[in-house]
Amino acid sequence: MTRGGFVLFCLISLLLPHSDSVDMSAPGPFQVGWQKMMMKPPSGLEFDAIIVYPSTEVGWQAVPDPSNGPYPVIVFGHGYSTEADSYMSTLQHLASWGYIVAAPEVPALHHLRYANEMSTCFTHLEKVNADPHSPLYGLIDHKHYGIFGHTAGAGAAIVAAAKDPRIRCVVALAPVDTMPSSILTIKKVHVPVNIIVAKDDWLASADKNAVPIYKNAHAPKQFHILSGGGNAYFYDG
């Protein structure tokens, strides 16, 4: 199964019922469009986010496909030394299966702010969903929100899930401890958690990060070790 397909399987298994007979390693039935949106948090520190979504044609600023909406929403947090578009193939794979994905383009340095910015994406999309002039009007399924991230983005996703009751599941790719501590904060998360690590990852030590996060997590929870590849397995390039 491809990287995007495996992440998709984990998210769907936590967020929505699914059929085990579906091959999620292949692209889904939807064409995919993407664009940038300006997020406006209460702090006033505006930032851009990449929005990837089912569309009527493939490409930048393509028209969203309203035929099967509303769509569940997934927010993604990139890692320390990468940017949101470094994971574009995974984000597009998710959208091809009927998800709207938002990826904030912010530094992964201030973890609490990062977590808040991830939650801001949900809030902004709720406003867009209620705006009849928005191309995403009526297309947001606000009952099914998931969050996932890589390294610092995964830690921030855990912090966000502890604070935001709208989030229904968490997938953490090679998570690392953050400030506030994701290892401790996971104790406050009461939704399904799936942790995925690469066997040869020497940058984000599973023993020091993912394993204690998993041990502190409440059930239901899963832990997957991918054979082959290191930390870079989770992004493009």
Side-chain angles (χ1 to χ4, degrees), residues 144-226:
H144 293 99
Y145 288 167
I147 195 166
F148 80 117
H150 178 221
T151 62
I158 290 168
V159 174
K163 293 161 52 67
D164 192 335
R166 298 172 296 180
I167 296 170
R168 296 276 301 274
C169 70
V170 181
V171 173
L173 311 177
V176 297
D177 199 18
T178 51
M179 296 179 63
S181 172
S182 54
I183 292 175
L184 298 178
T185 302
I186 192 68
K187 297 178 181 180
K188 300 178 181 179
V189 175
H190 296 279
V191 297
V193 175
N194 198 315
I195 297 172
I196 308 171
V197 300
K199 182 179 179 181
D200 299 326
D201 186 350
W202 55 270
L203 288 174
S205 167
D207 289 341
K208 295 180 180 179
N209 297 280
V211 170
I213 288 172
Y214 177 76
K215 288 181 177 179
N216 284 342
H218 299 282
K221 58 184 179 179
Q222 297 178 358
F223 192 99
H224 297 275
I225 301 174
L226 305 182

Side-chain angles (χ1 to χ4, degrees), residues 39 47-50 75-78 84 102-106 114 117-118 121:
M39 304 288 130
F47 61 91
D48 284 329
I50 299 173
V75 170
F76 171 72
H78 64 81
E105 293 186 306
V106 295
Y114 197 11
E117 287 163 338
M118 294 171 82
C121 291

Side-chain angles (χ1 to χ4, degrees), residues 7-18 24 97 99:
V7 171
L8 175 65
F9 174 80
C10 292
L11 284 163
I12 290 179
S13 67
L14 298 179
L15 193 59
L16 291 171
H18 70 286
M24 296 175 187
W97 282 94
Y99 288 79

Side-chain angles (χ1 to χ4, degrees), residues 83-173:
E83 298 180 355
D85 59 5
S86 298
Y87 305 81
M88 199 59 160
S89 66
T90 298
L91 308 186
Q92 290 175 338
H93 191 92
L94 294 171
S96 77
W97 282 94
Y99 288 79
I100 293 175
V101 188
E105 293 186 306
V106 295
L109 299 175
H110 305 286
H111 303 141
L112 181 57
R113 180 191 297 178
Y114 197 11
N116 291 337
E117 287 163 338
M118 294 171 82
S119 283
T120 292
C121 291
F122 292 119
T123 302
H124 182 83
L125 288 174
E126 288 173 352
K127 294 178 180 178
V128 166
N129 186 61
D131 181 0
H133 300 292
S134 166
L136 293 177
Y137 174 61
L139 295 184
I140 305 298
D141 179 358
H142 60 83
K143 294 182 180 180
H144 293 99
Y145 288 167
I147 195 166
F148 80 117
H150 178 221
T151 62
I158 290 168
V159 174
K163 293 161 52 67
D164 192 335
R166 298 172 296 180
I167 296 170
R168 296 276 301 274
C169 70
V170 181
V171 173
L173 311 177

